[in-house]
Amino acid sequence: MSGFDVNRVYSVPVHAVPAATSPDTPSETEKLLVDFIQSFHRSGEYTYRDKLRANILLKQHVLEVDLRDVGLFNDELAHLIQDTPADVLPLFENAATKVARNLLFPLASTQDSSIVTEATEAAAEAIPRVQITMKSALNLLQVRELTANTMNKLVRIPGIVISASVLSSRATKLHLQCRGCRSTKIIYPQGGLGGVGAGSDRGLPRVCDAPEPEGQKKDCPLDPYLIIHSKSTFADQQTLKLQEAPDMVPVGELPRHMLLSADRNLTGKVVPGSRIIASGIYSQFQSAKNKGGAAALRQPYLRLVHLELMSPAGTGGSNPFGAQFTPQQEEEFQEMARSENFYERFAKSVAPSIYGSLDIKKAISCLLFGGSKKVLPDGMRLRGDINVLLLGDPGTAKSQLLKFVEKVAPIAVYTSGKGSSAAGLTASVQRDSVSREFYLEGGAMVLADTGVVCIDEFDKMRDEDRVAIHEAMEQQTISIAKAGITTVLNSRTSVLAAANPVFGRYDEGRSPGENIDFQTTILSRFDMIFIVRDEHNETRDKTIAKHVLRIHMNHRNNNVQNEEDTAVAEIDLEKMKAYIAYCKSKCAPRLSPEAQEMLSSHFVSLRKQVQEVEKDSDERSSIPITVRQLEAIIRISESLAKMTLTPVVQNHHVEEAIRLFKFSTMDAVSAGSADGMSRTALNEEMTVIERELRRRLPVGWSTSYQSLIKEFVNQQGFSSHALERTLFILEKREVIRFSGQKKVVHR
């Protein structure tokens, strides 16, 4: 210890420390705090003294203190810090600075005056003020729970940073010089959001108060002082805007915002989109907008004393973000993963009140876990997130599935197609009201980073808005060039979209291309595309009717005998949420050599299959099968392995992934082949009909639709389906056109 060799008397307490005294004056408080930093120890280690020394040697003038340790040292002190942090924290910083200077410059406290001043000056120069950051385990408050009672107290609030201002410098010591008599003066402005620096000359003395020189009258003007910037000292300051997390907002309310003011070492720690827990002093400032208004009306803000970043796979809600899992939880999760048929059980627990559609639920389970993302040696990134598109008839519970996913995913944002613009999904450029500078506010895709975005009514979106998410779905970034800001934001999200086909319902008679109105560019970015049909089938209708009625009656009648039909999941929501977060943070499976072999041969056969379908129907498939689809199957098999915490993808995982893929996307590719008729026969019929039509209808003539049906279907015996398709295709090629609600055909 550096203090021993200085010629001082040291006393070491032999007996137990006397009961803690309550500090009454600021100087006593500071003495206690110095004592705390120097003497707080745990199992022989002086925690804070060593930490402070290490930090100072690294030229970081900051010390993180845990409030619980202060409580162990002296209970009253901890209460003081909680209730009047604005008074105690400056004292704490003084204390820390004192201790730091003592540690590094022990000579500064000896008796010899000449050495003292030199050492003190050196110490002051080497170690400016040490910043204290206060880590506490206080209960989390929501932004809307900050009331007048919490004013000027220490509070902790979680949220998402939606914007971070540019770093600015706040003066901590100003060196002034009078214009008239050239006398200098040093002042220390008070900090805070509305302190000096907000206005140009606020806080400077109006008159020169230097003593008059001998024999001449002093003639200094009003507002005489100029600031000499080269001799003043400054500290970094940044304002952040915190918005409460979307899952905390009560229904029907707008999310609230809170301004945070960070200084010195707390600046530059976060970027928009990061989820944090901010601890700070809830204070207020006079905003520039409100200058002429009531003097007592002030704007609240939070003076930061500590920032905790939540880990990306942090689970929201119940446990603090980025919380480590308890050993009991881990054991339980491992047991769950080992239990047999876990994959089936998990899939059944997804939206249990919706009947059937087990494969879609399995796909959604895969989406929740996601594959493993990879960064290649040349810096290229391959995404691990799975995107799913549900395309289908109305009334097939697509939106309910989306709502369920929003509840169960650790981080999720739900948006509807019509109500979201490109800027709302990606990011918008805002202008700061005070500094008039532009800054970015992240949209839904940025806020749901490392989570899921559920987009309902995907087909009702405008095309230019839909294009905005192309990049987010494949490259997992959002690049922006607006108003002089060019930047790239992260959006590592999975997309779950629900859409209706072109005609509102899926038309079996038409090819997938005519039913699906999306461009191939967006379709190839979906790993799985499900066509959800509302089939008319008596037995199925009966079971669904029974199921729905049982759900509606279950409020009063819970004694259902049949286990199959209850709408109760085996795994409850909270557990699912925690398990997903656990798997995401702990497991990133890789392919085994056998699985690789299996996948490559399968991909080749898939391409061949699509080629045959295209040849049969004589048109390009609207759902492309590209290398992206091969990656999709890889991701699905990885997520199946991750679901049971298996580190290597086995053959059965790949088989299941291929089955899911075949059931979804491949099924959609080959859908719509004419019922009962082979494609070739249909094509021959259509060629004949087209030839006849061109012969019978010269250019510029018209005929009624009814007479065409009479002639081709009733007299010549062609199928009405073939005639419909021929007319549809001819209209697309602009050979004919319809008028009068498709009753009259013009050529």
Side-chain angles (χ1 to χ4, degrees), residues 124-313:
E125 205 162 293
I127 304 171
R129 231 179 138 74
V130 175
Q131 182 179 9
I132 293 284
T133 60
M134 260 300 173
K135 187 177 172 191
S136 61
L138 298 172
N139 290 341
L140 289 180
L141 286 175
Q142 291 311 318
V143 177
R144 50 191 73 238
E145 291 169 4
L146 294 176
T147 53
N149 304 336
T150 53
M151 191 60 78
N152 299 329
K153 295 207 172 23
L154 203 59
V155 292
R156 249 175 115 217
I157 52 174
I160 300 177
V161 177
I162 53 172
S163 70
S165 74
V166 192
L167 287 189
S168 54
S169 302
R170 190 190 80 217
T172 51
K173 172 180 131 188
L174 281 180
H175 201 97
L176 306 179
Q177 188 174 29
C178 173
R179 277 180 298 200
C181 59
R182 295 267 170 252
S183 58
T184 54
K185 176 185 176 76
I186 292 175
I187 60 170
Y188 295 92
Q190 284 303 308
L193 261 187
V196 173
S200 53
D201 286 333
R202 291 231 315 264
L204 294 190
R206 301 287 312 259
V207 290
C208 174
D209 54 0
E212 291 193 4
E214 297 287 315
Q216 45 183 325
K217 200 168 177 311
K218 197 176 71 162
D219 181 28
C220 296
L222 200 61
D223 287 333
Y225 284 115
L226 296 172
I227 300 172
I228 300 173
H229 284 276
S230 52
K231 291 185 179 170
S232 310
T233 52
F234 299 91
D236 290 333
Q237 176 152 15
Q238 186 181 27
T239 46
L240 309 171
K241 200 170 180 191
L242 191 77
Q243 176 181 318
E244 47 187 342
D247 41 345
M248 307 287 184
V249 183
V251 181
E253 298 224 11
L254 287 175
R256 302 267 176 95
H257 302 272
M258 175 57 72
L259 279 176
L260 312 181
S261 149
D263 62 338
R264 292 173 290 179
N265 283 296
L266 290 171
T267 55
K269 283 269 190 293
V270 292
V271 291
S274 36
R275 290 168 173 250
I276 59 167
I277 297 180
S279 318
I281 308 169
Y282 185 50
S283 11
Q284 71 237 346
F285 71 99
Q286 184 83 41
S287 72
K289 279 187 289 202
N290 196 17
K291 269 223 182 100
L297 270 185
R298 298 165 77 93
Q299 197 128 2
Y301 77 103
L302 202 68
R303 260 174 60 200
L304 279 186
V305 296
H306 191 254
L307 268 184
E308 283 170 76
L309 277 172
M310 308 171 190
S311 69

Side-chain angles (χ1 to χ4, degrees), residues 283-521:
S283 11
Q284 71 237 346
F285 71 99
Q286 184 83 41
S287 72
K289 279 187 289 202
N290 196 17
K291 269 223 182 100
L297 270 185
R298 298 165 77 93
Q299 197 128 2
Y301 77 103
L302 202 68
R303 260 174 60 200
L304 279 186
V305 296
H306 191 254
L307 268 184
E308 283 170 76
L309 277 172
M310 308 171 190
S311 69
T315 52
S318 52
N319 39 357
F321 301 91
Q324 269 42 56
F325 297 95
T326 60
Q328 292 89 359
Q329 271 180 314
E330 294 206 17
E331 210 166 288
E332 186 187 7
F333 291 153
Q334 295 282 357
E335 210 167 286
M336 271 165 73
R338 283 197 301 270
S339 62
E340 60 182 289
N341 276 348
F342 174 70
Y343 165 55
E344 304 276 334
R345 278 178 35 226
F346 192 91
K348 280 189 181 137
S349 309
V350 172
S353 51
I354 296 171
Y355 174 79
S357 352
L358 191 61
D359 278 313
I360 296 180
K361 291 182 179 179
K362 285 180 176 172
I364 285 177
S365 313
C366 290
L367 170 129
L368 286 170
F369 286 93
S372 329
K373 77 163 188 281
K374 306 168 187 74
V375 180
L376 304 184
D378 61 353
M380 189 172 133
R381 289 167 177 272
L382 297 178
R383 71 182 162 103
D385 294 304
I386 295 174
N387 302 325
V388 177
L389 172 65
L390 306 177
L391 186 87
D393 299 341
T396 44
K398 297 189 297 293
S399 304
Q400 290 296 338
L401 278 169
L402 263 66
K403 279 285 185 199
F404 179 83
V405 170
E406 185 208 6
K407 282 199 204 74
V408 79
I411 294 175
V413 173
Y414 178 91
T415 115
S416 173
K418 223 14 183 185
S420 37
S421 63
L425 279 170
T426 52
S428 57
V429 174
Q430 304 281 344
R431 194 165 209 167
D432 188 13
S433 54
V434 183
S435 67
R436 312 296 297 149
E437 278 186 358
F438 289 110
Y439 63 91
L440 276 182
E441 272 197 9
M445 297 287 254
V446 180
L447 294 186
D449 194 14
T450 68
V452 185
V453 177
C454 304
I455 307 177
D456 208 351
E457 307 289 351
F458 195 56
D459 52 321
K460 317 285 189 299
M461 283 172 78
R462 296 205 305 271
D463 278 345
E464 53 267 36
D465 295 344
R466 210 180 295 136
V467 171
I469 56 180
H470 276 197
E471 182 195 356
M473 283 175 72
E474 191 57 54
Q475 270 69 43
Q476 307 244 301
T477 56
I478 286 169
S479 43
I480 277 192
K482 303 177 182 171
I485 296 178
T486 42
T487 179
V488 175
L489 302 169
N490 274 337
S491 70
R492 296 158 297 197
T493 59
S494 307
V495 176
L496 175 60
N500 295 100
V502 181
F503 309 101
R505 300 187 67 109
Y506 197 87
D507 187 344
E508 297 291 348
R510 316 220 160 155
S511 69
E514 293 151 32
N515 272 302
I516 302 172
D517 193 20
F518 301 132
Q519 302 161 331
T520 42
T521 44

